[in-house]
Amino acid sequence: MASSIDDQDDIEASLANNLVPVGPLSIIDIRSKSLEVKMAAQLIREWTGIQQFPAATQDKLLELLGKLKQENVGTLTILIMGKGGVGKSSTVNSLIGERVVAVSTFQSEGPRPVMVSRSRAGFTLNIIDTPGLIEGGYVNDQALEIIKRFLLNKTIDVLLYVDRLDAYRVDNLDRQVIKAITDSFGKGIWRRAAVILTHAQLSPPDALSYEEFFTKRTEALLKVVRLGARIKKHDSLGSSIPVVLVENSGRCNKNESDEKVLPNGIPWIPNLVKTIIDIVSNGSKAIFIDKKLIEGSNPNDRGKMWIPLIFAFQYFFVVKRIQRAIKEDIANENKPIWDR
Amino acid sequence: MGSLGVPAHLLSSSLAPSLRTRRNSSTRTTPAPSLSLSPAVITCRICPLNTQGLQCVQSKSNPKPSSVFIPFPKILGVYFAPALVFLVSGGVGCWINGGDVGGGHGGGGGGGGGDGGSWSRFFGFWSRFVCPMAIAKEEESQSQEWDSHGLPANIVVQLSKLSGFKKYKISEILFFDQRRRTTVGTEDSFFEMVSLRAGGIYTKTQLQKELETLATCGMFEKVDLEGKTNADGTIGITISFTESTWQSADRFRCINVGLMQQSNPIEMDPDMTDRERLELYRSQEKDYRRRMERARPCLLPMPVHLEVIKMLRDQGKVSARLLQKIRERVQKWYHDEGYACAQVVNFGNLNTKEVVCEVVEGDITQLSIQFQDKLGNVVEGNTQLPVVGRELPKQLRAGNIFNIEAGKQALRNINSLGLFSNIEVNPQPDEKNEGGIIVEIKLKELDQKSAEVSTEWSIVPGRQGRPTLASIQPGGTVSFEHRNLKGLNRSILGSVTTSNFFNPQDDLSFKFEYVHPYLDGVYDPRNRTFRASCFNSRKLSPVFTGGPGVDEVPPIWVDRSGIKANITENFTRQSKFTYGLVMEEITTRDESSHISAQGQRVLPSGGISADGPPTTLSGTGVDRMVFAQANITRDNTKFVNGAIVGERNVFQLDQGLGIGSNFPFFNRHQLTLTKFIQLNQVEEGAGKSPPPVLVIHGHYGGCVGDLPSYDAFTLGGPYSVRGYNMGELGAARNILEVAAELRIPVRNTHVYAFVEHGNDLGSSKDVKGNPTEVYRRVGHGSSYGVGIKLGLVRAEYAVDNNSGTGTVFFRFGERF
C-alpha cells in the first residue's frame, strides 16, 4: 500500500498545482471518482496568465470571451490530442499564458492527461492536455484508455487535433490516430474539432511558397482526417474542419503591438481563440463523455429483445429442417437386401 | 467404463450353419476333406472399445460362413476338431434334407427313364455329415504305413479284385467321362464330389463306399472305379462315369419347400404292370404339382432366374453337370446375400420343359433368448427380455428367412447395449419342423456392479527443479458402475480423479451420471434416453491467449461445475436429438488458482495489470446460471472401404433463461455443416482401396444477448483453423469458419491437402472488453497445408497466412 500512499501524495501535490494527474491503472476507478469529488470542491484559479499577453491580444480575447458570455456559455472545455512531440503541451502553455504543463522536449511524457482550469470574470476555461497517442509505432491503446477514463462525465466543447506544419508527409500512423479518436468519441467530435498545425514559422522547402506549402500540407492532413474518421467525400463535415497555425516558440515573430504573429502576419493566439469560439457557436453539440461512449453500447444488450423470435426461427427452420433431413436419410438408407 | 477394456469382454459368436443328412451318418466314415459346403465356425470377434470395430474385426480366414472351402483337412481337422465336437453336441447348424430316397431311385438315375423323376439323392453327397472322429481317424491312418499292392506294375485291377486287408496308397485319381471319352480335369465340378485324394491311404471298404456314394448320388447313370498298379506299390485310380441326362428344358422355377413335408418316394415294385406304373407316375405327377402349388415363392430374384434359364437354353439337354451348376449358382446367390442356411435340396419335374428347383431357405420358426452363467449353464437372467428383443432386427423373428447378416446385426446391436460379456447367435435346426430354424441367442451377463481404482504416481519437480520426497504425488481415479438396474439397462456411474490424493481439493474432478434408457417404455420403438449428471471440469480459456508476437498472456482457468439433465432421442445409430437443462457455476481463476474477475494484460513497460477483459458476466469471477441446451445431429456418414463419405450437420443451441448471476439471457447457437464427397465410384469390399474424398466444412457460431468471455467463440486451433494455436486468431461473438480438405488414398492410408479460413465477422469488439484486441489478435486468418494420416496420428504441415510461416504438427484424431 506504500505506493498508493505515495500516489495519493502525488495527487495532492498536483492538485495544489491545479494539475490533475491520474493514478496507476489498477486503481483508476476509485481514484477518478475521488477526483470528481475533489474537483467540485477545488478552487479554480484566476486566469492570471492572460495578463501576460500583449494588450492587443488581451483585448481581443476578452472581446471574444464576452461574445461567448452573451451566448450564455460560461465554461469552455478544450481537449487537445495528437501524436507525441507535436507541441500539444506547448500550445496549452501558450494559450493559458503560463507554464502550466511540463513540456518534455526530448522524451515522451508519462501517460497522464492533465486538465488546466482557469477562470476570468465568471468564465471558466478548461484545457485538457493529453499524452501522445503513439508509442512504438502503434496507437497506444492504453494511453487512449486512460484518456477516455479521465474524460468520463466531462463535456468536450472543442477538440484540437495537433500536428506539426513542418512534417512533410502524412502516413498510416496519422490515420490510425484519427481513427482511434473517432472510435473513442464518435464521428461527431469532428464537428467540434480544429486542426492545429504547430511550428508555423518555417521556411518551406525550395520552389514552394509558404502559402502553397500550407495549402498542400493542410490538404494532405485533412484527407487523412477524412479517411481516418471515415467521413464521406461529399460530407460537409470534411471540408468544414478549420485549420489553425500555431507557433509556440519564443522566437516567434511579433508585430508592432508585441503580438506573436504568423509568417502571414496574423496574430495567432486571438486567431486560435476566435476559431475555437466559432466552433463552439457553429450549432453542433458538445460531446458529453459518458460511460456508454467510452465502452460503446453494451453488446450484451443488443438484440436481446429478439431472442424469443430467434429461438422460434431456430426451432422451426433449423431444428425441424434437420429432423426432416434425418427422416429422409432413414427413408433413403441403402439397406442390405435382407433388410427390406 | 473401465471394464470395457478388459480383454475377457471380447465377444465371440458362433454362426455356424452346417449340413446334415437324415441318412444314417454312421455309414459314412469316409473323411470328406473336400466339402464345398462344410460346417464352419465363424467367430465374430468384436472389440467393444471401438464401435467401428464391429464391422471390421472378424476372423479373416472365414469371411463368409457358408463359402468356406477347406482345402487342407489335416490342419483344419486338428484345428477345428473341438469346434466340430461343439457343433455336434450343441447341434448348431442347419440341416438339410438330403432326400429320403433310400437308394432305390436308380430309376431316376438309370437312364432318365422315369418322367418327372426327382433327383434328390444327389444332395446327400454334399450334405454329408462330417464326423470329427472320422477326421481324427484319418489323421491316424495317414500317419500309418501303407501296404504295397503286391501286384505287377501297370496292370488294371477291378475294385473287387483288390485285397480287403490292405491299405492302398493312392498315387493319382483320374476321371474318365465315358460319354465324351475324355479325362476330366480337376477343375471339373465332378471332381469335387469325390472325397478321395491322391496320396491318401484307403482300404478296399473305403473305396467301395466311395463308389457307392457316387453311384447313389444321382448324377451318374453309371460309375465305375478301377485301379492301376504302379511300380512303387501305390495304385492310381480311374473313375469312369456316364453322366445322367434329361430332356431339355427352357423354363426354370424356384420354390421354397422349407417347413413342408418332404415327398416320400414310393418304392416301385418291379412286378408292377405298365398300367400300374403309369398310374403311379400320374399320381406322382399330381402330387408334385400340388406340392409346387403349396410351396412358397422363393427370394431368388429375377436376374438370377433369367441367368439360369439362359444356362438351360444354352445347354440343350439337362445334364447332371448343368443341374449342379444351377444348384451352385442358386446357392451362391443365397450365400452371397447371407442366407447361410439356404440349400437347394432337390430338382424336381425333370424331363419336362420346366426345371423346378426346390430350396429350403431356412425359415425361422422360433427365436429363443437364454442367459448363461459363467460356466455356461442356462440361468434366469437379470436383463428383461424386451431389452434384448428390441435390439433384434425383425428378420430374426419367426416367420422370416434366417440371414447371417441379420444375425451379425443382432450381435452388434446387443453388444452395443454393453450388458453382456458373451453373445452367441446360433441358428439351430428345428426338430419339430423340417427345414425350420430356431434362432438361439445365448447371453452371458456382465456383473452388475463394478468398481475400479487406478493409481499413478507423479513426480513434480521441487525446488531447483529436483524432485523431492514431498513432490511425489499419488494420484488416480476411483470409478464405480452399477449397471442394468431393474434389468432395464439403467445405470449409475461415477468417477473421481485427482492427481494428488493428499490435496484433492486442488484438482479434484468428478462425474456422476444416471442413465435411464427407454424413457417411453421398453416396448415403444421411440428410443429416448434420460441422463442426469453432476460434473466438474477445468479448462484453460483460449479467450485469454495472445496473438502472434505477444508475450505470454497470463492464463485464465475456467472451472465449471454443475448438474445437467437431458433427454437424448436416437433416430439412427448416428443421428440424434438431445435437449435438456444445465445448471452450472463457472469460476474463473488465474494461474495461482485465485478467483480472478478480469483477465490480466501485460503492459508495454513489462508490468502486469489486472484490468483486462472481464472474465465473467457478473464481474466477480463467479457466475451461476441455468440454461437450456439442445443439440441435433444429423449424420448419414458411412465408410466406403474405410473412407468416410456422407454428410454431418450439427446444430447446437444454448438458450439462456434469465436465471442466474446478472440474469443471463442469451441465445448462443452453432451450426456445423460437413460434407464428405466421394469423388469417384469404387468397388466396395475388403481390401479394396478407398475413394478420394473432398471434405467441405462450414461452422457458424453466434450469440445474441449476454455473452461472458468464457462462452465467446474462439478462432484458431486444430479444430478451428489449423496452423494456429488455440484462440490465436481471436475470440468473438460471431464466427464463421470454412474449410476444404482433399483426401487422396495412398496405399492403406491417405494424404490430404487443406485450406481453412476463420473470421470473426467484425464481432470481436462485441465481446465485453474486446479480448481479441487487448491481446493483439487479428480476428481472422487463413491457413493451408498438407498432411498424412499415420494410423491414429495426423502429421501435417500447415502454413498460416497471417505470418506466412509453416509448421509441422502432429495431432490425434480427425479434424472433421
Side-chain angles (χ1 to χ4, degrees):
Chain A
M1 287 309 285
S3 68
S4 97
I5 289 165
D6 283 352
D7 285 344
Q8 199 69 36
D9 288 347
D10 204 333
I11 282 163
E12 236 72 72
S14 49
L15 277 178
N17 207 6
N18 272 6
L19 302 182
V20 184
V22 176
L25 272 168
S26 51
I27 51 165
I28 198 160
D29 279 339
I30 318 147
R31 202 57 61 81
S32 57
K33 264 173 211 145
S34 69
L35 278 176
E36 301 302 327
V37 180
K38 277 177 186 156
M39 291 273 291
Q42 156 199 1
L43 285 170
I44 294 162
R45 278 222 200 160
E46 203 43 38
W47 190 0
T48 47
I50 200 167
Q51 286 152 14
Q52 307 285 320
F53 292 133
T57 309
Q58 277 191 41
D59 290 346
K60 274 181 204 156
L61 290 184
L62 288 175
E63 186 197 322
L64 287 166
L65 294 180
K67 219 163 120 191
L68 264 187
K69 259 195 124 174
Q70 276 173 11
E71 290 181 29
N72 282 332
V73 180
T75 327
L76 193 63
T77 307
I78 300 168
L79 174 67
I80 298 188
M81 292 186 95
K83 295 189 283 184
V86 291
K88 294 185 296 294
S89 300
S90 305
T91 310
V92 174
N93 289 343
S94 304
L95 256 177
I96 300 283
E98 295 173 50
R99 222 185 89 80
V100 284
V101 192
V103 176
S104 34
T105 314
F106 297 108
Q107 56 200 11
S108 65
E109 57 273 75
R112 292 180 185 182
V114 174
M115 181 152 107
V116 187
S117 302
R118 291 292 182 274
S119 76
R120 175 92 189 182
F123 179 83
T124 312
L125 178 68
N126 300 316
I127 302 182
I128 302 165
D129 185 23
T130 61
L133 283 175
I134 294 298
E135 189 172 296
Y138 287 103
V139 172
N140 189 341
D141 294 323
Q142 200 193 341
L144 194 67
E145 200 64 25
I146 294 165
I147 295 168
K148 284 201 282 196
R149 282 170 198 262
F150 179 78
L151 294 176
L152 188 65
N153 293 331
K154 292 189 177 66
T155 307
I156 307 297
D157 292 303
V158 177
L159 165 75
L160 298 183
Y161 178 71
V162 184
D163 204 344
R164 294 173 71 132
L165 178 64
D166 58 352
Y168 295 154
R169 289 196 189 127
V170 288
D171 55 22
N172 196 31
L173 210 54
D174 294 290
R175 207 174 118 187
Q176 278 184 32
V177 174
I178 305 281
K179 186 173 175 288
I181 294 171
T182 316
D183 288 347
S184 305
F185 306 112
K187 221 163 151 181
I189 196 144
W190 295 104
R191 292 190 192 283
R192 283 277 177 170
V195 174
I196 307 285
L197 293 172
T198 58
H199 300 257
Q201 190 169 296
L202 89 166
S203 26
D206 297 341
L208 271 182
S209 73
Y210 185 85
E211 287 301 327
E212 246 178 306
F213 179 79
F214 170 70
T215 320
K216 285 210 163 143
R217 170 81 179 134
T218 311
E219 261 173 26
L221 198 60
L222 282 181
K223 197 177 161 198
V224 164
V225 170
R226 278 196 296 271
L227 271 174
R230 289 186 298 273
I231 298 167
K232 284 183 199 97
K233 260 193 180 156
H234 305 293
D235 200 332
S236 62
L237 186 68
S239 50
S240 67
I241 299 172
V243 180
V244 188
L245 289 169
V246 162
E247 178 55 70
N248 294 314
S249 164
R251 288 188 299 275
C252 182
N253 294 337
K254 291 182 180 161
N255 65 4
E256 59 281 1
S257 41
D258 210 25
E259 287 175 300
K260 286 182 174 174
V261 291
L262 299 168
N264 56 11
I266 303 169
W268 67 264
I269 294 180
N271 184 34
L272 175 60
V273 175
K274 186 177 175 296
T275 313
I276 290 169
I277 284 159
D278 283 349
I279 290 168
V280 171
S281 44
N282 74 357
S284 61
K285 262 191 175 168
I287 309 292
F288 178 72
I289 311 290
D290 58 3
K291 217 171 165 112
K292 204 177 155 189
L293 194 68
I294 291 177
E295 289 175 0
S297 67
N298 188 351
N300 284 351
D301 290 334
R302 214 177 299 152
K304 243 184 186 175
M305 56 184 291
W306 299 108
I307 288 178
L309 252 163
I310 294 169
F311 182 79
F313 173 84
Q314 285 164 344
Y315 181 72
F316 290 108
F317 293 95
V318 183
V319 173
K320 283 281 163 195
R321 212 172 148 167
I322 293 177
Q323 270 181 338
R324 262 205 310 279
I326 292 172
K327 280 201 186 104
E328 274 166 34
D329 284 347
I330 293 170
N332 295 341
E333 203 180 355
N334 213 350
K335 284 185 175 173
I337 202 157
W338 56 269
D339 202 8
R340 281 178 194 152
Chain B
M1 292 286 284
S3 62
L4 282 178
V6 179
H9 192 68
L10 285 175
L11 304 174
S12 73
S13 82
S14 308
L15 290 165
S18 75
L19 311 172
R20 196 169 76 183
T21 68
R22 284 171 68 196
R23 278 169 83 111
N24 187 356
S25 61
S26 65
T27 59
R28 305 196 173 272
T29 48
T30 328
S34 69
L35 290 175
S36 61
L37 290 165
S38 54
V41 176
I42 62 152
T43 303
C44 302
R45 286 196 188 283
I46 293 170
C47 174
L49 280 178
N50 180 358
T51 46
Q52 271 142 28
L54 286 167
Q55 292 136 347
C56 56
V57 188
Q58 210 186 66
S59 170
K60 262 201 180 155
S61 59
N62 295 332
K64 287 246 170 79
S66 49
S67 60
V68 177
F69 185 78
I70 306 177
F72 306 113
K74 199 169 174 181
I75 302 161
L76 280 163
V78 175
Y79 182 73
F80 273 124
L84 289 165
V85 172
F86 171 65
L87 287 175
V88 175
S89 61
V92 182
C94 337
W95 62 270
I96 293 306
N97 190 337
D100 262 24
V101 197
H105 213 284
D115 41 340
S118 138
W119 198 54
S120 39
R121 292 298 315 291
F122 183 86
F123 299 101
F125 192 86
W126 281 288
S127 41
R128 163 162 28 194
F129 180 64
V130 188
C131 173
M133 293 311 287
I135 292 174
K137 217 181 259 173
E138 195 203 10
E139 296 307 306
E140 277 169 38
S141 68
Q142 274 190 347
S143 63
Q144 280 173 7
E145 287 297 308
W146 49 277
D147 304 313
S148 171
H149 50 72
L151 293 166
N154 281 330
I155 59 158
V156 174
V157 194
Q158 296 297 313
L159 181 59
S160 54
K161 302 274 169 57
L162 290 172
S163 162
F165 303 106
K166 280 185 175 172
K167 288 176 180 142
Y168 292 99
K169 182 165 183 173
I170 308 295
S171 65
E172 60 170 348
I173 298 165
L174 291 173
F175 284 84
F176 185 70
D177 189 333
Q178 285 181 340
R179 187 164 290 150
R180 294 191 198 163
R181 317 284 322 156
T182 50
T183 305
V184 297
T186 48
E187 74 288 343
D188 195 276
S189 56
F190 283 154
F191 200 84
E192 285 174 17
M193 298 177 51
V194 179
S195 60
L196 300 177
R197 280 291 166 266
I201 296 157
Y202 304 94
T203 60
K204 182 184 176 184
T205 332
Q206 281 173 329
L207 293 175
Q208 276 171 338
K209 287 264 153 60
E210 185 67 36
L211 184 59
E212 191 191 323
T213 314
L214 291 173
T216 55
C217 76
M219 289 196 54
F220 307 112
E221 275 172 32
K222 211 165 100 192
V223 63
D224 205 2
L225 191 151
E226 51 188 29
K228 192 175 161 229
T229 56
N230 292 332
D232 61 355
T234 59
I235 55 168
I237 282 185
T238 307
I239 298 166
S240 54
F241 61 89
T242 314
E243 199 184 336
S244 307
T245 50
W246 297 270
Q247 69 173 253
S248 64
D250 56 2
R251 287 200 304 276
F252 176 72
R253 191 160 156 200
C254 189
I255 53 171
N256 181 6
V257 296
L259 308 182
M260 280 173 76
Q261 204 66 37
Q262 293 297 319
S263 54
N264 289 321
I266 297 136
E267 286 288 329
M268 253 189 281
D269 194 341
D271 300 336
M272 264 196 286
T273 60
D274 282 358
R275 195 191 163 92
E276 277 174 329
R277 200 168 288 182
L278 207 68
E279 212 147 277
L280 183 68
Y281 286 147
R282 273 211 193 112
S283 81
Q284 269 188 349
E285 229 181 291
K286 214 167 137 195
D287 280 352
Y288 196 75
R289 203 164 293 143
R290 200 174 301 140
R291 184 176 156 81
M292 284 195 339
E293 277 160 18
R294 276 216 317 277
R296 285 160 296 149
C298 261
L299 295 168
L300 199 72
M302 213 51 214
V304 185
H305 269 111
L306 292 173
E307 214 176 296
V308 172
I309 289 170
K310 192 168 177 295
M311 282 161 80
L312 284 170
R313 286 194 181 144
D314 289 353
Q315 193 71 24
K317 255 188 177 171
V318 176
S319 68
R321 271 201 184 94
L322 178 66
L323 288 179
Q324 198 184 354
K325 266 191 207 150
I326 293 171
R327 184 194 69 91
E328 268 168 17
R329 179 67 194 93
V330 170
Q331 279 190 180
K332 182 179 181 301
W333 180 83
Y334 275 104
H335 295 159
D336 285 354
E337 296 300 329
Y339 298 101
C341 294
Q343 292 292 326
V344 173
V345 291
N346 202 0
F347 280 106
N349 233 13
L350 294 170
N351 275 346
T352 64
K353 281 276 162 199
E354 186 178 58
V355 171
V356 175
C357 174
E358 295 178 20
V359 186
V360 169
E361 295 188 318
D363 294 272
I364 298 167
T365 51
Q366 202 190 327
L367 174 73
S368 86
I369 299 171
Q370 53 176 246
F371 297 97
Q372 293 179 327
D373 66 6
K374 281 184 181 127
L375 301 168
N377 305 317
V378 175
V379 290
E380 198 172 313
N382 168 48
T383 312
Q384 295 198 14
L385 286 180
V387 171
V388 179
R390 62 180 288 142
E391 298 299 329
L392 302 174
K394 62 176 190 298
Q395 285 76 12
L396 275 191
R397 309 242 162 90
N400 291 287
I401 309 293
F402 176 78
N403 189 299
I404 198 131
E405 295 302 325
K408 285 183 194 165
Q409 184 70 47
L411 201 68
R412 284 195 289 266
N413 288 357
I414 296 171
N415 181 46
S416 66
L417 288 173
L419 294 176
F420 307 104
S421 62
N422 191 51
I423 305 161
E424 284 179 25
V425 178
N426 299 329
Q428 293 254 45
D430 188 343
E431 303 292 343
K432 291 176 195 137
N433 282 305
E434 281 182 17
I437 299 284
I438 297 176
V439 177
E440 220 176 58
I441 296 171
K442 292 180 186 165
L443 305 164
K444 274 184 195 160
E445 291 184 314
L446 282 170
D447 282 340
Q448 264 193 289
K449 291 175 199 175
S450 68
E452 210 171 279
V453 180
S454 67
T455 52
E456 56 181 27
W457 289 87
S458 50
I459 299 172
V460 185
R463 285 193 192 137
Q464 290 117 36
R466 280 192 214 108
T468 61
L469 202 61
S471 69
I472 301 175
Q473 294 179 347
T477 305
V478 180
S479 59
F480 69 91
E481 187 173 357
H482 193 155
R483 61 177 88 81
N484 208 0
L485 295 165
K486 289 189 165 180
L488 284 168
N489 203 7
R490 296 171 191 170
S491 59
I492 295 174
L493 40 122
S495 71
V496 178
T497 308
T498 176
S499 64
N500 187 358
F501 275 128
F502 295 141
N503 286 314
Q505 70 274 17
D506 283 357
D507 71 333
L508 191 74
S509 78
F510 57 85
K511 183 167 185 177
F512 300 99
E513 191 177 32
Y514 170 68
V515 185
H516 184 120
Y518 319 121
L519 197 62
D520 300 292
V522 72
Y523 292 103
D524 195 310
R526 200 170 178 196
N527 185 1
R528 291 201 299 169
T529 303
F530 171 79
R531 273 191 186 81
S533 63
C534 166
F535 62 92
N536 83 343
S537 73
R538 164 170 280 206
K539 275 185 191 146
L540 198 60
S541 172
V543 172
F544 298 89
T545 308
V550 173
D551 292 341
E552 198 93 327
V553 169
I556 291 287
W557 291 92
V558 178
D559 289 0
R560 290 167 187 261
S561 58
I563 54 175
K564 200 192 250 183
N566 60 37
I567 292 170
T568 304
E569 178 164 6
N570 291 313
F571 298 115
T572 69
R573 195 170 290 281
Q574 294 156 309
S575 299
K576 60 187 176 195
F577 184 25
T578 305
Y579 42 92
L581 278 180
V582 182
M583 188 161 96
E584 63 179 357
E585 181 182 271
I586 300 112
T587 314
T588 50
R589 297 174 191 276
D590 61 13
E591 276 168 298
S592 42
S593 281
H594 294 123
I595 293 176
S596 88
Q598 286 187 308
Q600 296 168 323
R601 64 161 122 197
V602 182
L603 301 177
S605 56
I608 288 179
S609 86
D611 70 328
T615 54
T616 49
L617 201 61
S618 62
T620 58
V622 181
D623 272 1
R624 295 192 179 93
M625 62 168 87
V626 178
F627 61 94
Q629 197 170 49
N631 178 315
I632 184 161
T633 303
R634 173 204 175 202
D635 188 342
N636 62 14
T637 56
K638 57 178 184 183
F639 286 93
V640 176
N641 298 342
I644 193 162
V645 167
E647 196 171 351
R648 192 186 295 134
N649 306 336
V650 182
F651 178 69
Q652 170 140 14
L653 173 65
D654 297 341
Q655 174 63 54
L657 303 172
I659 308 169
S661 327
N662 284 24
F663 312 105
F665 188 52
F666 55 88
N667 180 292
R668 186 175 183 268
H669 45 270
Q670 294 182 69
L671 181 66
T672 311
L673 307 172
T674 312
K675 207 162 184 172
F676 301 87
I677 304 164
Q678 183 176 347
L679 291 181
N680 64 12
Q681 288 300 320
V682 292
E683 203 182 327
E684 285 185 54
K688 300 264 168 51
S689 93
V693 173
L694 176 67
V695 190
I696 303 284
H697 170 85
H699 173 219
Y700 170 77
C703 181
V704 180
D706 295 315
L707 178 72
S709 70
Y710 49 79
D711 273 343
F713 297 100
T714 55
L715 286 168
Y719 298 102
S720 169
V721 184
R722 283 177 270 187
Y724 298 92
N725 293 329
M726 284 275 280
E728 190 188 320
L729 288 175
R733 178 174 282 267
N734 305 309
I735 58 155
L736 182 67
E737 290 163 5
V738 286
E741 182 174 298
L742 182 65
R743 297 174 174 170
I744 309 281
V746 172
R747 286 163 191 259
N748 43 19
T749 178
H750 68 256
V751 294
Y752 57 90
F754 63 88
V755 193
E756 303 198 336
H757 176 75
N759 202 305
D760 68 351
L761 306 171
S763 66
S764 282
K765 63 177 192 309
D766 296 335
V767 180
K768 244 188 162 183
N770 200 347
T772 302
E773 197 178 308
V774 167
Y775 299 118
R776 301 250 161 99
R777 290 176 283 188
V778 194
H780 56 85
S782 309
S783 67
Y784 60 92
V786 291
I788 184 165
K789 190 100 196 286
L790 304 164
L792 284 176
V793 181
R794 283 187 287 133
E796 63 193 22
Y797 177 78
V799 179
D800 80 72
N801 281 9
N802 287 0
S803 68
T805 55
T807 326
V808 175
F809 294 90
F810 289 93
R811 308 244 186 240
F812 274 98
E814 284 289 348
R815 157 76 169 91
F816 303 109

